Amino acid sequence: MNQPEEYLLAIESSCDETAAAVITRDMRILSNIVSSQIDLHEKFGGVVPEIASRAHLERILPVIDDALKQAGITLNQLSAIAVATEPGLVGSLLIGLTAAKTLAMTLDLPLIAVNHIEGHLFACQMQETRPLFPAIGLVVSGGHTNLYHCSESFEFKLLGATIDDAAGEAFDKVAKILGLSYPGGPAIQTTAARGNPKAFPFPRSFLKDPELRFSFSGLKTAVLYAALGNPGAKKQPPPLTEERIADLAASFQEAVVDVLVGKCKQALEQHNYSTLCVGGGVAANALLRERLAEMTEKAGVYFSIAPPDLCTDNAAMAAIAWHHLDQGRIASLDLDVTPGLVR
């Protein structure tokens, strides 16, 4: 006799995307609804926490309702509720957690806490037919640029992280310097396609350093001075023409990709791993995907990168909750959030 289908409702509200998804026990994504807040934060060039949390409050219930409707199920058919509780913005996380707790209590279902960063790496596993772990994991997003030792799909140990700006944050700030649109990642990628990546010799911090750490603040400042000049300097740069903007974007993107690929290579060599998993919003960058594929092929390493639609923040990557459920990792209703950034 066939077992009845099991459904997981996952909720994600860690930053500026309100998301809900329905995932089956065998990892089929029946729905993955994401309500973007780009239009709300664009004029500020970055996420404003209070605006983000207010938008989550308005959108969380309609997004959950849309996820259930698209999946073709009702609340009574759910088997568990998963929610991202760390890391992220405190107000944003609390909106998702409150909705998840309410549903879990009302429906008498298990509540499962999910780490947002671990979800980004688990998004790689969702497209694979073979187990990926153990592996080296890179999460590269707007808030994080972190390397992990992933012994299991739910056991991650931080190996190194950025000491200042994350790569995605640097993309946003550089895009603002160059007068490009928000978010910066897609805008810089498009503009860089027309530019010369060797036009400006921008710094590649810690690239030769054996420690697995990142820094993009100095690179961002170097772009600022190359674009707009150094206050007090006798010689100032020429005006920002379209060609010059393209060259600056291409050179910046090249520097970021060089560092990310280089540090992944170091991590694989230092820990003698044969698998690399990459997730996060910046993982959607075409040049990064291409260079990582080239590096891992040359090194004889299996490479898995989250599909573009699961790179940016979404709820489907919280399917890792099924593994937590199997391990008996069920949260109590006094569950709290752990906000902030992992550094």
Side-chain angles (χ1 to χ4, degrees), residues 23-142:
I23 310 107
T24 64
R25 167 68 79 166
D26 59 357
M27 300 298 172
R28 287 183 297 117
I29 302 171
L30 301 186
S31 62
N32 191 20
I33 306 298
V34 180
S35 177
S36 173
Q37 297 181 15
I38 288 175
D39 57 327
L40 300 179
H41 303 284
E42 185 173 10
K43 64 181 177 181
F44 303 104
V47 178
V48 181
E50 277 209 14
I51 292 175
S53 58
R54 289 175 183 173
H56 285 307
L57 189 60
E58 294 174 355
R59 302 177 184 191
I60 190 74
L61 293 182
V63 164
I64 291 172
D65 188 50
D66 286 348
L68 292 168
K69 286 179 178 176
Q70 189 175 104
I73 67 167
T74 65
L75 287 171
N76 293 328
Q77 292 175 269
L78 293 173
S79 303
I81 308 292
V83 61
T85 59
E86 62 175 318
L89 302 174
V90 61
S92 296
L93 287 167
L94 284 170
I95 301 300
L97 178 58
T98 301
K101 281 185 178 182
T102 303
L103 288 169
M105 181 177 65
T106 304
L107 301 169
D108 193 23
L109 293 175
L111 176 67
I112 304 158
V114 171
N115 184 303
H116 172 84
I117 293 180
E118 294 177 3
H120 273 308
L121 290 176
F122 191 76
C124 298
Q125 181 66 75
M126 294 179 70
Q127 65 177 347
E128 300 285 346
T129 56
R130 53 159 277 183
L132 285 178
F133 306 102
I136 291 296
L138 171 69
V139 174
V140 54
S141 66

Side-chain angles (χ1 to χ4, degrees), residues 182-196:
Y182 174 85
I188 285 180
Q189 176 175 290
T190 300
T191 305
R194 305 190 299 269
N196 175 8

Side-chain angles (χ1 to χ4, degrees), residues 114-235:
V114 171
N115 184 303
H116 172 84
I117 293 180
E118 294 177 3
H120 273 308
L121 290 176
F122 191 76
C124 298
Q125 181 66 75
M126 294 179 70
Q127 65 177 347
E128 300 285 346
T129 56
R130 53 159 277 183
L132 285 178
F133 306 102
I136 291 296
L138 171 69
V139 174
V140 54
S141 66
H144 295 92
T145 304
N146 301 355
L147 279 165
Y148 291 90
H149 161 213
C150 311
S151 57
E152 299 283 351
S153 61
F154 47 84
E155 291 290 344
F156 298 163
K157 178 183 177 182
L158 184 67
L159 295 175
T162 180
I163 63 171
D164 43 55
D165 290 351
E169 184 181 359
F171 268 94
D172 287 340
K173 290 178 177 178
V174 167
K176 190 170 184 178
I177 290 168
L178 300 180
L180 303 176
S181 62
Y182 174 85
I188 285 180
Q189 176 175 290
T190 300
T191 305
R194 305 190 299 269
N196 175 8
K198 300 188 183 303
F200 296 89
F202 289 137
R204 286 144 169 84
S205 299
F206 301 136
L207 182 57
K208 303 300 182 182
D209 192 316
E211 290 189 41
L212 299 174
R213 55 182 177 172
F214 303 88
S215 172
F216 296 103
S217 181
L219 171 59
K220 172 198 65 184
T221 302
V223 176
L224 174 66
Y225 289 164
L228 304 178
N230 191 341
K234 292 182 179 179
K235 186 177 180 181

Side-chain angles (χ1 to χ4, degrees), residues 1-6:
M1 183 176 178
N2 292 332
Q3 293 292 323
E5 188 77 273
E6 293 183 83

